[in-house]
Amino acid sequence: MKDKIWLSPPHMSGEEITYINEAYNTNWIAPLGPNVDGFENDIIKYTNAKFASALSSGTSAIHLALIMLGVKPSDEVICSSFTFSASVNPICYLGATPILVDSENDTWNICPKLLEQAINQRIEKGKLPKAIIIVHLYGMPAKMDEILSLSDKYNIPVIEDSAESLGSIYKGKHTGTIGEIGVYSFNGNKIITTSGGGMLVSNKESYCKYSTHLATQAREPFPYYEHKEIGYNYRMSNILAGIGRGQMKVIDERIRARRANFRFYQQNLKGSNLLFLEEPDGFFSNRWLSCIVTKSFEQREDIRLALEKENIESRPFWKPMHLQPIFACHPSYLNGVSENLFEKGLCLPSGSNLSDKDKNRIVNIILNTINK
Ligand SMILES: *Cc1c(COP(=O)(O)O)cnc(C)c1O
């Protein structure tokens, strides 16, 4: 059997171990310490976010963002339907109701037209949504100008789920730094990883201070433990933050490699009638995953199974949340875009450590399958 090719494996720089050793040798084996501060500063410098709070996961960052925006039981929160479940789960942790909104075809992210319809109908039904969670899926920025103008018009804050889009840029600004609060993930499959981890960023200091407070059990500054509100154990470990610092040394190289994967697939699969998502003017995607849209469900499955037979991992696009058994009961505003993408879309191996030889193997299998 040929060596397994993974969809999006970790890719260490070699520098991580220095920071891990430092943590070990100085006994900072805790969810605080110099690496945590250092990693926050690395992210601030890189993204131009003003403030940051390092957390245990992207999911916990979304959870804290919703708490800080005042989401309470029976409130409504709008969320992009075409995403990973971790965008929506925290809404439910709080007993609030997700309102799911479909995508547009230019970026595959939340459709601004449908978003406005959803807001208006929710208001008619008696509730102004408390927040809008938008997602920059697979690294492609969402249409932020249109989204922010609705956010201003109706006075609803935007949380940017940038778990997949660290390093992606929208009209000169890093995704994650454009809305009220941004969220990054450093899970094992993301563009850089701390094995597991997340970051909440904002241009308002109050959110990041409050996030770190809530993430450390909401302890008040007393000699004994004093608590005025419910806290969480969501802070990032100093060991894992050390991995993050080592990864930040090579973030630009990682983005270059992911973008080169995309270009390779696009060029070498030209003429195959597979659809690749182009970047609109002013949009820069980190191309976290290289995605193709095939002509039919059957063709998608043929390609996926042919790759699987050769020990190559690929994956259908995210199954939209309004189609998920657990979320199907919630209100949704649909136009067919995400369902069509789910039916025909496939994520190809996209690791920044993918070799040209592997990419050629993958392309040949795809071409053979299509031309069979
Ligand atoms: C990975 C991911 C998350 C969750 O991040 P974790 O760090 O795994 O909790 C949230 N949203 C999207 C879109 C993701 O891809």
Side-chain angles (χ1 to χ4, degrees), residues 41-222:
N41 284 328
D42 289 346
I43 290 287
I44 287 171
K45 248 200 216 138
Y46 183 72
T47 63
N48 293 317
K50 293 215 172 75
F51 303 95
S53 168
L55 301 171
S56 53
S57 68
T59 310
S60 58
I62 297 171
H63 189 192
L64 294 185
L66 291 170
I67 292 170
M68 294 192 296
L69 294 176
V71 174
K72 299 264 165 24
S74 84
D75 280 343
E76 294 187 347
V77 174
I78 293 180
C79 186
S80 185
S81 184
F82 193 33
T83 185
F84 175 51
S85 65
S87 308
V88 180
N89 281 333
I91 302 171
C92 300
Y93 300 167
L94 293 168
T97 304
I99 308 293
L100 303 168
V101 175
D102 214 327
S103 296
E104 38 78 10
N105 272 313
D106 301 335
T107 72
W108 301 350
N109 293 311
I110 198 164
C111 171
K113 249 176 42 208
L114 220 45
L115 173 58
E116 181 154 32
Q117 278 173 29
I119 294 171
N120 278 319
Q121 203 186 88
R122 300 328 295 173
I123 293 173
E124 265 168 44
K125 287 186 183 284
K127 274 184 192 168
L128 179 70
K130 269 286 175 69
I132 303 166
I133 301 175
I134 65 97
V135 185
H136 306 292
L137 210 66
Y138 302 123
M140 181 65 78
K143 293 187 171 173
M144 290 309 292
D145 281 349
E146 291 86 338
I147 292 164
L148 286 187
S149 88
L150 294 173
S151 161
D152 283 349
K153 180 169 168 190
Y154 295 96
N155 202 15
I156 312 171
V158 169
I159 299 170
E160 285 181 84
D161 179 347
S162 311
E164 303 178 0
S165 71
L166 178 63
S168 296
I169 292 168
Y170 175 84
K171 301 189 180 173
K173 286 187 184 163
H174 274 264
T175 57
T177 68
I178 307 166
E180 188 79 355
I181 295 174
V183 167
Y184 299 118
S185 165
F186 311 109
N187 195 32
N189 59 344
K190 297 291 166 33
I191 195 151
I192 63 159
T193 183
T194 59
S195 78
M199 189 93 67
L200 185 147
V201 298
S202 178
N203 297 326
K204 294 186 183 155
E205 186 174 22
S206 53
Y207 286 127
C208 294
K209 272 201 163 147
Y210 195 23
S211 163
T212 300
H213 173 71
L214 290 174
T216 48
Q217 307 285 23
R219 291 202 309 256
E220 297 298 328
F222 286 81

Side-chain angles (χ1 to χ4, degrees), residues 258-266 276-277 287 290-291:
R258 298 252 178 185
R259 286 177 60 83
N261 289 340
F262 180 88
R263 264 195 315 277
F264 185 96
Y265 288 129
Q266 192 176 33
F276 289 82
L277 186 64
R287 297 291 188 190
S290 287
C291 300

